Amino acid sequence: MSSPVQESGLCDLLLAEPGTSHNNEIGDNTADSSDNSDSNDKSGKTVADSKSRPTFVLRMLNFCKEVTIMVLIAVAYATLTNETPPKVSKSPAAYPFFPKDSLVTDWYRGQITEAIEEARSSDIAFVMFYAPWDAESQAARKQFELAAKFMYRQVAFASINCWQPGSECKRQYSKVYKWPVLIAYPTHGRGIQYNGPLEAFHMIKFLQNICKPIIRPYKMDALIGKHDQYEDVWNPETLSSWIFKNLQQVAGWITPTGTKSLTLADFVQPGPTLILFTPKNPLLQDIDYYNMLREVAYEYYNCANDTQITARQKLVNLERLRSKENYQKLKRKCVLEIERTKNVMTNVPNIWTNSSWKDICNCVSGSPLNKICRDDNSATNSDQISSEYLRKSVMEEDCREFLLSQKYGPAIFERKVRGNDFNITGLACKTNLTLAFIALDSLRFYHFAEKLGVDLPDSSQKSGVVIINEKMETHHIMESHLSSKNVRLFIYNFTQRTLPRSLHSQVVVVFYYSKQCSFCNGISYMFLTTAKLLSDIEDVIFVRIDGDANLLPWEYTMETYPTILLIPANRKSESRALPKTVSITVPNLIGFILTNVQPVLRLKIMWSVCCRARFIDEKRQCMASVRMETLTIIDQTLKEWRNSTRKQKVLYKLQVLRQLHLLLAHYPTKVSNIRTYLNKLRD
């Protein structure tokens, strides 16, 4: 049987009350029956023991604390020095990003050293650093491969997975914030990063400029016709000085970065700016509409009737004529050449090295070169084959590039490139409204045109002109078709201040409130509910203004709160406030809006409200009112057609209204079709 002392432990024993017995055996009580003769000695000894016992207990308590602290320190040290790493799930295994049969060498395990060494072994290598999970990397993959299919003969294409955990590329470039990163590596020198659009056409143009950075002009006039400024003396010193001075051009392409920047503001804010929206094909040397803009700009800035500026203007005009003629010739030649020499030279790699003329003739069997190969005189035939092959290969490369440019978009030329149809010579110095001339690619930056209200037709032309006067907060859109004559007339009318303003306005419903107005909180709920019901109507905007926190012009300052104001589109002078006698509820707000908008917009709002009706009877009655409103608009449009000078446009509106009425009467559940016809309507 174990002792009670052992079960309680040493520390429990030390914490016991002094004089307390821990032995429960009966025999221990015999000590109390000792002789009276020894009582004095024993009592003295007991007093001494009772005095020394608390000191002993405190020492043992301190000892227990020290032991406990030592144990805790040992445990903590063991935990800190434990070399067992935390359990972390393994990263997924690397996998190829490009197909196996791709022309792109894919280093999907992130072997950057091997990839760069192989890239440097080629004359030019184009490398894409990517992250497999990145959406832009995935979108660029197809475009990168298309560029490789076109340029694989001149450029080596490679890709590196720079996101694989633990890979060499990940260790070296761990702080890349945007993927993919595309860099071209020449044999010597540093890499050149590509910052253009992630499209194959622009990548190809970038690589072509690297492969052939210098273009030899066939004559001086051609060079001057392509560029806006050059010094009179032609030598390396003057050319270098001109380049470093970065002389201002009369017109230029502007390429916004796609992020928040001041690229466009630097041109628009100083003064009025004429913007040409037109497609910019990266694979074409000349864009005719842009050259037309340069030609007009030269004339506009020719204040002193300078003969040099006049000569440059004529050179630009001649260059436009020459470009159109060369384009048409190349188009005809390529069509004929492709039919004659189809699939002839596509299988002749490295023909000038380690190949015999017999091998070459075998490759071109069945082609126009086969006749030359049948001749026995090998020395003479070698020269003939060399010149013939060189001509064919150059033609083939030109046609390949031409066909690729046609896939991006055909070249656009002015119908008739004439001389000066309308004289605007020196207008820049005759008015305070001096224009700047810039061009934007309408295919990439079409959203700028949409915001300004410029209608880019669906045809391949997709071109338009607008003048922005930022200081006057106005802009003017050229409604006529794009031509040299119309652009000159457009500029002349602007300098004469006779151009009408282009109004791209919407219906605005304004809720004026104050934080001190307790009633405004309840009205705010009604206003927000109405805004949500009409959220799919793009032509109506709901805004709130804190009247106490904003200092407004006197005409927009309200005397009482809450106040609801409706500003009609293009008719700001006819703004209306909701009468104070009308209670502010959702039906009353919708009725107030319907009363003060144009007929077509009223029809759109009514149909939008009907689509949100919950009950069948309510929806049926609502649709009936929409059909009646459609008939009313048809009647008004017929009266307009009788007195209109633009009957074709009004007739188109009548046709749309007719189809819309038939859909509402027979197929009211075809929501997408009804919405399509409603979007075609304009007031």
Side-chain angles (χ1 to χ4, degrees), residues 314-473:
K314 292 181 179 179
L315 287 174
V316 174
N317 186 271
L318 291 175
E319 185 65 26
R320 293 179 63 196
L321 293 170
R322 189 182 297 113
S323 297
K324 184 176 182 179
E325 183 180 356
N326 292 339
Y327 178 85
Q328 293 173 347
K329 286 183 179 179
L330 182 61
K331 185 177 180 179
R332 290 192 297 266
K333 286 182 179 180
C334 286
V335 172
L336 296 175
E337 196 69 23
I338 289 172
E339 293 297 328
R340 271 198 314 166
T341 61
K342 188 176 182 181
N343 298 326
V344 174
M345 300 300 171
T346 55
N347 298 318
V348 192
N350 299 325
I351 193 169
W352 303 114
T353 57
N354 300 327
S355 298
S356 64
W357 292 112
K358 182 179 180 181
D359 297 331
I360 298 173
C361 290
N362 290 334
C363 289
V364 300
S365 177
S367 72
L369 300 183
N370 192 32
K371 180 179 179 181
I372 301 175
C373 291
R374 287 198 297 266
D375 200 325
D376 294 334
N377 191 345
S378 59
T380 305
N381 292 340
S382 299
D383 298 334
Q384 293 178 357
I385 292 177
S386 299
S387 59
E388 183 71 12
Y389 175 76
L390 183 60
R391 186 184 70 82
K392 295 291 183 182
S393 61
V394 171
M395 176 60 68
E396 180 193 7
E397 188 63 28
D398 290 342
C399 288
R400 287 179 70 242
E401 185 173 342
F402 173 79
L403 293 175
L404 187 65
S405 68
Q406 295 301 295
K407 291 182 180 179
Y408 186 88
I412 306 171
F413 295 94
E414 188 181 359
R415 295 176 182 175
K416 293 182 179 180
V417 181
R418 299 177 179 175
N420 192 344
D421 295 320
F422 197 88
N423 189 11
I424 59 170
T425 303
L427 282 183
C429 305
K430 299 176 182 179
T431 178
N432 292 329
L433 300 175
T434 304
L435 282 170
F437 295 84
I438 62 175
L440 286 172
D441 187 353
S442 60
L443 299 180
R444 294 179 56 197
F445 307 110
Y446 60 90
H447 49 278
F448 287 102
E450 290 179 352
K451 292 294 183 181
L452 292 170
V454 181
D455 185 20
L456 299 178
D458 295 333
S459 62
S460 60
Q461 184 174 350
K462 290 187 179 298
S463 301
V465 174
V466 60
I467 293 178
I468 298 178
N469 192 346
E470 196 269 342
K471 291 183 178 179
M472 299 299 296
E473 297 184 354

Side-chain angles (χ1 to χ4, degrees), residues 248 250 264-275 300-301 427-428 431-438 466-476 490-491 494-495 497 499:
Q248 183 180 3
V250 295
L264 197 58
D266 292 338
F267 293 89
V268 175
Q269 289 181 352
T273 304
L274 185 144
I275 303 178
Y300 178 79
Y301 282 110
L427 282 183
T431 178
N432 292 329
L433 300 175
T434 304
L435 282 170
F437 295 84
I438 62 175
V466 60
I467 293 178
I468 298 178
N469 192 346
E470 196 269 342
K471 291 183 178 179
M472 299 299 296
E473 297 184 354
T474 61
H475 73 285
H476 312 273
F490 185 61
I491 295 172
F494 174 75
T495 58
R497 303 177 186 271
L499 278 182

Side-chain angles (χ1 to χ4, degrees), residues 281-298:
N281 193 326
L283 299 178
L284 293 178
Q285 294 293 334
D286 296 298
I287 307 298
D288 185 65
Y289 279 157
Y290 173 68
N291 288 333
M292 178 195 70
L293 183 69
R294 293 175 53 225
E295 182 183 350
V296 172
Y298 269 128

Side-chain angles (χ1 to χ4, degrees), residues 2 8 35 88 100 115 179 286 309 314 339 417 446 475 511 539 599 649 669:
S2 61
S8 60
D35 295 336
V88 180
K100 293 182 179 179
W179 304 100
D286 296 298
I309 297 179
K314 292 181 179 179
E339 293 297 328
V417 181
Y446 60 90
H475 73 285
F511 174 51
D539 298 328
K649 184 177 181 180
T669 57

Side-chain angles (χ1 to χ4, degrees), residues 78-88:
T79 303
L80 293 175
T81 58
N82 188 8
E83 297 181 356
T84 304
K87 293 183 178 180
V88 180

